[in-house]
Amino acid sequence: GFEIGYHLATWHTSPREKTIQALDRYDELFGQPPTAMANHSKCRENMYWGAARLTGAAQLIYNLATRFRQADRYRGHIEGDPLFWGDICKQKIRYCRNFIYNNINTLAACPFMPYHDPARPYVNYWFASSEGSEVRSFNRRLSEKNQERLEEEAGLCIMYTHLACGFYGNHQLQPEFRRLMERLARRNGWFAPVSTILDYLRERNGGHLISSAERTHLERKRLIQKLVSGGSKIA
C-alpha cells in the first residue's frame, strides 16, 4: 500500500553521472525504475524548475520577483549541460509533480492531470498536489470541513508534505494529525499510492495533452495563490 518515489539522487546538486547511478541503484533495489518523482528544492538538476516551470507573463513576473536570479539556474532539461538528465527522465519516469494548491481537492485545482506538456517534452506526465508541507498546513488542509467537502465533491487529494516537519515529537504523533487521519480512515474513500491513482486518471483522460490556455490557467492560479497567501515556493 506504499510507493517509494524518486526525489533526485540526494539533497544537493548531482551531475548526470550521479543521477544515472542513483536511478540504477533504485532499479537494483526495487526491480524497476521509479514511477513518480518530485524535484528536490534547490537541486540544480531539477527538471523544468525555477523560471523554466512557467511560461509567458507568469514567467516574467517570477523573474522580476526573483530579480532574474533563478532564470537559468535549473539545468536538468538542458541538453548538453553537465546536469542534463532529461532523456533518462523521459525513459524511466512516468509522472513528475508540478504545482501545489491550497485546495483539498487536487483534481479540482488541476482537472487535466496527469497531463503532458509539449513545451516540456522530457517529462512524460505532470501532476499537481495539495499544500500540506508541515503539520499545521497539513491539518488545515485535512480539517473535518475539508474532508466533508472532498467527499461531497467526489474529489481527489494528493497531499504534498514533509513528515519530518512537526508530525512526531515527544515520542508520539502530533495529536490533531492523528485524530484527523483516524477520522479520514473511517470514511469510505479509496486510499492508494499516487502512481496507482494517476494511472487510473490517465486511462480516463487518455494522457491529456495540455493546451496553452490550460497551462496558463494553472500557472496563473498558482502564482496568484503564492502572491496572496505565501506557502510553498512556486518554483
Side-chain angles (χ1 to χ4, degrees):
F2 292 88
E3 175 180 358
I4 299 176
Y6 184 61
H7 200 28
L8 303 193
T10 186
W11 60 272
H12 56 72
T13 298
S14 300
R16 176 182 174 88
E17 293 76 16
K18 290 292 184 183
T19 296
I20 293 173
Q21 288 177 17
L23 287 166
D24 286 346
R25 180 60 173 159
Y26 186 107
D27 203 344
E28 178 185 338
L29 288 171
F30 302 111
Q32 61 183 29
T35 305
M37 67 157 282
N39 286 311
H40 197 297
S41 186
K42 297 181 180 180
C43 291
R44 296 190 63 205
E45 76 273 23
N46 283 344
M47 293 296 300
Y48 302 109
W49 211 241
R53 197 176 179 186
L54 303 163
T55 49
Q59 185 183 77
L60 177 59
I61 293 170
Y62 173 80
N63 279 330
L64 290 173
T66 58
R67 300 180 182 179
F68 286 85
R69 287 192 294 262
Q70 310 296 322
D72 298 308
R73 177 173 176 79
Y74 300 101
R75 319 286 294 178
H77 59 285
I78 300 177
E79 192 169 351
D81 193 276
L83 301 180
F84 172 70
W85 66 287
D87 56 335
I88 308 299
C89 180
K90 186 173 182 64
Q91 176 188 343
K92 291 183 176 289
I93 296 173
R94 192 177 306 153
Y95 302 114
C96 182
R97 198 203 70 207
N98 199 358
F99 297 122
I100 302 161
Y101 296 102
N102 290 337
N103 189 338
I104 185 67
N105 189 348
T106 317
L107 192 58
C110 182
F112 322 113
M113 71 176 185
Y115 62 87
H116 179 71
D117 184 349
R120 295 165 177 84
Y122 289 120
V123 168
N124 289 304
Y125 296 100
W126 295 97
F127 68 98
S129 59
S130 296
E131 167 63 47
S133 56
E134 43 77 35
V135 71
R136 291 170 298 180
S137 61
F138 188 103
N139 289 346
R140 284 196 302 270
R141 206 68 53 224
L142 212 64
S143 67
E144 293 184 13
K145 180 180 179 181
N146 279 343
Q147 288 187 28
E148 300 285 348
R149 181 167 69 84
L150 185 64
E151 185 170 346
E152 289 171 2
E153 295 175 358
L156 162 69
C157 178
I158 298 175
M159 189 71 81
Y160 156 72
T161 193
H162 300 92
L163 292 176
C165 295
F167 289 84
Y168 185 84
N170 298 321
H171 306 289
Q172 64 176 350
L173 290 172
Q174 199 269 350
E176 180 66 358
F177 164 70
R178 178 167 186 159
R179 185 187 72 82
L180 289 169
M181 290 299 290
E182 289 177 344
R183 184 180 188 276
L184 179 66
R186 291 192 296 267
R187 306 190 75 85
N188 184 28
W190 180 34
F191 306 105
V194 67
S195 291
T196 302
I197 293 170
L198 293 172
D199 284 344
Y200 170 76
L201 291 176
R202 186 164 59 92
E203 287 180 7
R204 294 183 65 187
N205 74 11
H208 185 73
L209 189 68
I210 199 167
S211 68
S212 296
E214 290 167 340
R215 184 196 305 119
T216 298
H217 173 72
L218 294 179
E219 292 176 351
R220 287 181 178 176
K221 180 161 51 176
R222 176 56 186 155
L223 185 60
I224 290 170
Q225 175 186 294
K226 174 60 181 173
L227 293 174
V228 171
S229 61
S232 299
K233 297 178 181 178
I234 185 169

